[in-house]
Amino acid sequence: MTSTASSPDTRQGPPAEEQQPSWQGRLRRFGYVARPREDVTARLVPPYTEPSPRLWMTLGLSKPAADQVVRWSGWVGPLLIALVAGLTRFWNLGSPKAVIFDETYYAKDAWALIHRGFEVNWPEKINDDVLRQGSDIAIPHDAAYVVHPPIGKYVIGIGEWLFGFDPFGWRFMTAVLGTLSVLMLCRIGRRLFRSTFLGCLAGALLTVDGLHFVMSRTALLDQVLMFFVLAAFGCFLIDRDKARARLAAALPTDEDGRVRPDAYVAETVRLGWRPWRWAAGLCLGLAFGTKWNGLYVMVFFCLMTVFWDVGARRVAGAVRPYRAVLKRDVLPAFVSTVPVAVTVYVVSWLGWILSPTDGTGGYYRNWAATDGQGGNWTWLPDWVRSLWHYEHAVYEFHVGLSSPHTYQSNPWSWIVDGRPVSYFYESPLPGKDGCPAGTTEKCAREVLALGTPMLWWAAAFALLYVLWRWVFRRDWRAGAVVCGVVAGYLPWFFYQERTIFYFYAVVFVPFLCLALAMMIGAILGPPGSSERRRVVGAAGSGVLVLLIVWNFIYFWPIHTGTAIPIDSWRSRMWLDTWV
């Protein structure tokens, strides 16, 4: 059978010398569609999509008024969705008035950091005293051995410094970051898809995700990590647009005023100062300084931005884009990310570094002057050698962590909500702690870190869709979403024997929402679809979104610790592994 690439092509397209390579012909059977030839500027910096003029006619808006609506919608829509996210996340934030799950570590570590500069050993049964005394409680002096860097705890400590050492204070900043991450995702999705609607949809999906919601109301490090990872992704995305716009401006124009590719320009032009890449390096350092798995994110994101530069130079006409990127872009990309991130990480330990070295400072602070004397590295400052020893001890702890836990889970189960984590549970009697007086049995109050099931199960299919679109449609947007998911998800498969938890998945939840928004956009239909196609697509996608919103509302009581009859609680335990 003659291949598609060698058969006559009667469609309008490039001349014979620009016909697609044979691999593209072979991929057509899997749905590959070649990108249509268009102006190079439009390919480097695609325009934002605008609603159909029929919409403005239906609403009775004039052309100037419609332009004004489009101009303002890019910010008004995301801000309104962020407002909803903030209202839900800050509502009754201090409830339950308890130290729930790992707040027992991070809330107290944060309080010690902002007062001592390093973490301390708290008595085992001091949580009740913390809740009773609050900011008046005495802070111990003995340094504690902790296994996570300080940035996330400093962030939690900001809320405690502002509002006091109580549940509202230590949850305040995670609620702020949870709200801001919704706003960021709206804007990131808008820039990624060139669609205000799809960007706002992605942010709305994140607003109603149960895992993100619970983590926004709990003083754990993973929500802080998620925020900085998403911020780094957004910075790289802005840098991509600005670098490609600079490249497009350097290309020559023909007699008709159209920008045309030029191999010499594409391979030799320098893209200059790229401040958003430096900002991304800062965010990656803050992520790394919150939890070590930020290192994996840095590796994946740095590779992603280099491949973006390769694609840009290829579109601009480079014959050898990889060589051009290697000569012009790789070194600046490295300098603006990795050294910046490492510097931020080291600076985050400043409180520990400046603590006393006489045994009353941070844990292992005096190691170089005591147990670390001698060897080949004594020419280094004592604080460098002590910090390196501390980090090595933390590494050995992480790779050897295998203590069983009731709520530990395998990463294979995360994408289908296999084993959520119960942060808080109690059984109040009728008439107490919100339990209705007429209830015949005890009630249940639970804070369950569970992703909205309808959203996660739909996102499982959306991941398959974006993978297909990336591989067979060569869609860089799908590739970027896949990179975000893989960076936060894949590393945990190398530690399946370790004690790990489902809530670690909050780091890649925003990218699941982007994947789902992209799939819903495909369900709605591409530009130029028939009215019937649009109606069917809108009905299908609308039903899916409404089911997700309903599902979030249905599980609201077990996300917020609201007392409900035990039968109502059981009806929400859809899987045996959720109990």
Side-chain angles (χ1 to χ4, degrees), residues 401-417:
L401 181 62
S402 58
S403 303
H405 192 283
T406 304
Y407 289 105
Q408 71 183 67
S409 59
N410 189 286
W412 287 106
S413 69
W414 292 357
I415 204 68
V416 291
D417 279 349

Side-chain angles (χ1 to χ4, degrees), residues 121-143:
N121 274 317
W122 295 83
E124 287 189 11
K125 298 182 179 180
I126 201 173
N127 287 345
D128 290 338
D129 293 336
V130 168
L131 293 172
R132 185 174 59 255
Q133 299 179 38
S135 302
D136 296 328
I137 196 166
I139 305 173
H141 291 274
D142 294 339

Side-chain angles (χ1 to χ4, degrees), residues 71 136 171 218 309 344 346 475 503 527 548:
R71 188 178 305 112
D136 296 328
R171 295 170 192 161
T218 313
D309 284 346
V344 170
V346 174
D475 192 327
F503 64 82
I548 291 171

Side-chain angles (χ1 to χ4, degrees), residues 425-445 563-571:
Y425 184 88
E426 67 177 18
S427 301
L429 295 171
K432 294 184 177 180
D433 295 329
C435 184
T439 304
T440 57
E441 297 182 83
K442 291 182 178 179
C443 286
R445 289 188 68 202
I564 55 175
I566 193 67
D567 287 340
S568 296
W569 176 84
R570 291 193 187 103
S571 69

Side-chain angles (χ1 to χ4, degrees), residues 375-557:
N376 298 324
W377 301 97
T378 53
W379 56 274
L380 289 172
D382 281 358
W383 70 266
V384 174
R385 294 191 295 123
S386 295
L387 182 58
W388 181 262
H389 178 73
Y390 195 166
E391 301 292 75
H392 182 262
V394 169
Y395 171 77
E396 290 184 333
F397 170 85
H398 281 307
V399 298
L401 181 62
S402 58
S403 303
H405 192 283
T406 304
Y407 289 105
Q408 71 183 67
S409 59
N410 189 286
W412 287 106
S413 69
W414 292 357
I415 204 68
V416 291
D417 279 349
R419 181 61 171 163
V421 182
S422 181
Y423 288 171
F424 170 83
Y425 184 88
E426 67 177 18
S427 301
L429 295 171
K432 294 184 177 180
D433 295 329
C435 184
T439 304
T440 57
E441 297 182 83
K442 291 182 178 179
C443 286
R445 289 188 68 202
E446 184 171 31
V447 176
L448 186 66
L450 169 72
T452 303
M454 291 294 184
L455 190 156
W456 281 70
W457 296 342
F461 291 98
L463 279 179
L464 296 177
Y465 169 73
V466 295
L467 275 170
W468 169 79
R469 191 164 184 94
W470 177 42
V471 174
F472 297 116
R473 291 291 182 97
R474 314 292 289 180
D475 192 327
W476 73 271
R477 303 169 303 171
V481 173
V482 170
C483 181
V485 174
V486 169
Y489 192 18
L490 181 64
W492 294 112
F493 286 92
F494 301 122
Y495 304 99
Q496 294 186 58
E497 302 304 318
R498 276 192 49 192
T499 306
I500 54 180
F501 300 92
Y502 164 70
F503 64 82
Y504 297 169
V506 74
V507 175
F508 60 85
V509 165
F511 300 96
L512 293 183
C513 294
L514 287 172
L516 189 52
M518 191 172 187
M519 185 180 75
I520 290 174
I523 294 173
L524 283 170
S529 299
S530 65
E531 185 173 347
R532 181 178 180 181
R533 170 69 178 83
R534 286 289 195 183
V535 170
V536 172
S541 57
V543 168
L544 176 58
V545 172
L546 288 175
L547 282 174
I548 291 171
V549 173
W550 162 82
N551 208 204
F552 174 71
I553 296 171
Y554 179 71
F555 284 102
W556 173 274

